[in-house]
Amino acid sequence: MTSGRSSRGGAPTTEGVSRTASAKAPERGIPEATVARLPVYLRALITLSDREIATCSSEELAAAAGVNSAKLRKDLSYLGSYGTRGVGYDVEYLRYQIAREIGVTQDWPVVIVGIGNLGHALANYSGFSSRGFRIVALLDSDPARHGEPLGDRFIRDFADLETIVREHDVAIGVIATPAHAAQDVCDRLVACGVTSILNFAPSVLSVPEGVDVRKVDLSIELQILAYHEQRKSAAYDADALTEPEIAAAVVESA
Amino acid sequence: MTSGRSSRGGAPTTEGVSRTASAKAPERGIPEATVARLPVYLRALITLSDREIATCSSEELAAAAGVNSAKLRKDLSYLGSYGTRGVGYDVEYLRYQIAREIGVTQDWPVVIVGIGNLGHALANYSGFSSRGFRIVALLDSDPARHGEPLGDRFIRDFADLETIVREHDVAIGVIATPAHAAQDVCDRLVACGVTSILNFAPSVLSVPEGVDVRKVDLSIELQILAYHEQRKSAAYDADALTEPEIAAAVVESA
DNA sequence: TAGATTGTTAATCGATTAACAATC
DNA sequence: TAGATTGTTAATCGATTAACAATC
């Protein structure tokens, strides 16, 4: 079955057609690296907005976002020309434009599957709701957990998935189950019409064409840090030394 | 002050010196993209190992890791030649070599700061301890939480940070506080000698040269999914159409 | 030897960055 | 007009990938 996703799409408009067909830059195909930074810029703009800063330069916004300003300007140029030369960017205007581009000006119903420790943390995470993500169900296959209150919802049976997805037109699912259950849960989500999955389980999911999976793996992040940490600690290991350092080390150990 | 990190480094050895100085490939400077995938390969190898599979081809391992096999072989080539042409890789041997390269054959004492929902989840996460990460302290600045048992530890005062870091020679810290506290916590960690930080707070941290920060941001991952989801839903939006699709849409709406 | 599979090459692709012309 | 800052260009850098020679 397919989900009711079509309700999100608009009908083709003449403006749209002429814009796409025009000789002007197509505004399409934003690079993945840029897409991944747009939410970072959005967050930085929200911070500036909260401080009631009306205008900022690319230099200031880049600093707030933790990137270099050339990269920021290049990224923004894929969206359009939303700045004013000699002046900078209007914080509210740019904030809206980026939010619209990402899609967080609309409402995204989300289901979370697997309500262990991590699922609890996700259910209580305020960063979701503040960005258009609305948790419509917390699902777990363990009957002992059904009915348990969590945030402003109750934990429900994973068997209710299809009903819930259809009822709320859910496009995004979050998997926070143990690794061994993740692929099954994923298959069920996909079968119900969910086409975007955020996977916290430490397993590789296989999905059909057209379904996006993003993975967050806590232990992998820590291992990447360990790799670099090991090399810092190894500053006195000869393996890691540059020629002059070797000379110094050899003298030292003599 | 500096931490006691030096205890981790070995003394320079003649083998080490000659290896570095030799004409052979330096084995150094593994690309970041490769480093980020090594833990993924390690996990895949552990899975194969658990299934008592002794040998695998690059094709098989790549499938288990969710990457293409050319990329896998290229990545492994930075570590050395651990495979056998015509045969494949010995699972246990490659597993050990990758673990050693990442640094997870050693013990990494870790502190977690900020024991809210997420901190609880992290404290209970089994994926850490199974990869050499040992949680030596759970710290929170809220006195009401001090002494609360969690996993096999008790929540302690953040003020004890320096003592703990020195005592256990902690190099890695995890920040799971609210955004407004993150930079302060980060500064304190750095001041104690922590040189690797995993940041779950939604804020940009500034750290001195030599300190690594990695960021995990749940809401950003979800926003990236939303961006792509929006474009899927917009399949009937003229903006997103290619030339032939525009023609079709125009006909359809006529 | 024949078949299989690695390790490496080289071409391609995408991302980053500095520099600066355009323009407020 | 002079100063500031964007948006864009072009050069550089790094990552990916297919293809295949090396070799088990």
Side-chain angles (χ1 to χ4, degrees):
Chain A
M1 62 152 286
T2 56
S3 77
R5 199 72 346 81
S6 60
S7 61
R8 282 188 224 283
T13 61
T14 44
E15 299 88 70
V17 170
S18 63
R19 177 145 43 110
T20 309
S22 77
K24 258 307 183 66
E27 276 190 48
R28 292 292 139 195
I30 298 180
E32 262 310 300
T34 298
V35 170
R37 282 187 294 264
L38 292 181
V40 179
Y41 302 151
L42 180 57
R43 168 163 291 153
L45 286 164
I46 292 171
T47 305
L48 295 177
S49 175
D50 286 348
R51 287 196 223 137
E52 298 184 6
I53 294 168
T55 287
C56 66
S57 67
S58 62
E59 201 70 55
E60 290 162 336
L61 182 54
V67 303
N68 98 22
S69 66
K71 191 189 281 181
L72 171 79
R73 288 198 301 278
K74 181 84 172 140
D75 284 340
L76 294 184
S77 75
Y78 292 112
L79 312 192
S81 290
Y82 296 135
T84 308
R85 288 162 136 109
V87 177
Y89 301 92
D90 181 281
V91 170
E92 294 305 326
Y93 180 63
L94 185 58
R95 171 184 172 170
Y96 172 74
Q97 292 299 340
I98 292 179
R100 190 183 51 77
E101 188 72 38
I102 298 174
V104 292
T105 48
Q106 60 180 275
D107 175 73
W108 292 102
V110 169
V111 294
I112 299 178
V113 184
I115 315 298
N117 280 299
L118 184 59
H120 270 89
L122 295 172
N124 282 312
Y125 181 52
S126 61
F128 288 162
S129 54
S130 68
R131 275 179 195 74
F133 300 104
R134 186 165 47 88
I135 296 171
V136 298
L138 306 167
L139 303 176
D140 202 292
S141 58
D142 180 0
R145 283 183 179 143
H146 298 161
E148 184 189 312
L150 175 48
D152 58 353
R153 314 213 68 81
F154 294 88
I155 299 176
R156 296 179 59 180
D157 192 347
F158 180 57
D160 296 345
L161 178 70
E162 189 169 345
T163 311
I164 293 163
V165 167
R166 197 165 19 192
E167 187 182 332
H168 294 94
D169 199 18
V170 173
I172 302 177
V174 176
I175 299 179
T177 65
H180 65 86
Q183 184 64 59
D184 274 356
V185 167
C186 174
D187 293 343
R188 292 282 300 273
L189 285 167
V190 170
C192 293
V194 170
T195 46
S196 290
I197 291 171
L198 182 56
N199 180 29
F200 286 92
S203 51
V204 175
L205 296 180
S206 72
V207 292
E209 185 91 357
V211 175
D212 280 321
V213 176
R214 289 193 70 87
K215 192 164 161 35
V216 175
D217 192 313
L218 313 178
S219 123
I220 282 180
E221 295 301 321
L222 222 37
Q223 288 176 67
I224 296 170
L225 282 176
Y227 172 84
H228 293 293
E229 190 60 40
Q230 185 185 35
R231 309 198 75 216
K232 290 179 203 164
S233 312
Y236 274 87
D237 268 355
D239 280 338
L241 296 181
T242 59
E243 234 82 355
E245 286 172 324
I246 292 163
V250 168
V251 168
E252 205 178 317
S253 67
Chain B
M1 61 153 287
T2 55
S3 76
R5 199 70 350 81
S6 60
S7 61
R8 281 188 224 282
T13 60
T14 44
E15 298 87 69
V17 169
S18 63
R19 177 143 45 113
T20 310
S22 78
K24 256 307 181 70
E27 274 190 50
R28 294 290 139 198
I30 298 180
E32 263 310 299
T34 298
V35 169
R37 283 187 295 264
L38 291 181
V40 179
Y41 302 151
L42 180 56
R43 167 163 292 152
L45 285 164
I46 292 171
T47 304
L48 295 177
S49 175
D50 286 349
R51 287 197 222 136
E52 299 185 3
I53 294 168
T55 286
C56 66
S57 68
S58 63
E59 201 70 54
E60 290 162 336
L61 182 54
V67 303
N68 97 23
S69 66
K71 191 190 281 181
L72 171 80
R73 289 198 302 277
K74 181 85 172 140
D75 283 341
L76 294 185
S77 76
Y78 291 112
L79 312 191
S81 291
Y82 296 135
T84 307
R85 287 162 136 111
V87 177
Y89 301 93
D90 181 282
V91 171
E92 294 305 326
Y93 181 63
L94 185 59
R95 170 184 174 170
Y96 172 75
Q97 292 300 340
I98 292 180
R100 190 183 52 77
E101 189 72 38
I102 298 173
V104 293
T105 48
Q106 61 180 275
D107 174 73
W108 292 102
V110 170
V111 294
I112 299 177
V113 184
I115 313 298
N117 280 299
L118 185 59
H120 269 89
L122 295 172
N124 283 312
Y125 181 51
S126 62
F128 289 163
S129 54
S130 68
R131 275 178 193 76
F133 300 104
R134 186 164 47 87
I135 297 171
V136 299
L138 306 167
L139 304 176
D140 202 292
S141 58
D142 179 0
R145 283 186 179 141
H146 300 159
E148 183 188 312
L150 176 48
D152 58 353
R153 316 212 68 81
F154 294 89
I155 298 176
R156 297 178 59 178
D157 192 348
F158 180 57
D160 297 344
L161 178 70
E162 189 168 344
T163 311
I164 292 163
V165 168
R166 196 164 19 192
E167 187 183 331
H168 293 94
D169 197 19
V170 173
I172 302 177
V174 177
I175 299 179
T177 65
H180 65 84
Q183 183 65 59
D184 274 357
V185 167
C186 175
D187 292 345
R188 292 282 300 275
L189 284 167
V190 170
C192 293
V194 170
T195 47
S196 291
I197 291 172
L198 183 55
N199 181 29
F200 286 92
S203 52
V204 175
L205 297 179
S206 72
V207 292
E209 184 90 357
V211 175
D212 280 321
V213 176
R214 290 192 70 87
K215 192 163 162 36
V216 175
D217 193 312
L218 312 179
S219 124
I220 282 180
E221 294 301 321
L222 221 38
Q223 288 176 69
I224 296 170
L225 283 176
Y227 171 84
H228 293 292
E229 190 60 41
Q230 185 184 35
R231 310 200 73 216
K232 287 179 205 166
S233 312
Y236 275 88
D237 268 357
D239 282 338
L241 296 181
T242 59
E243 233 84 354
E245 284 172 325
I246 292 163
V250 169
V251 168
E252 204 177 317
S253 66

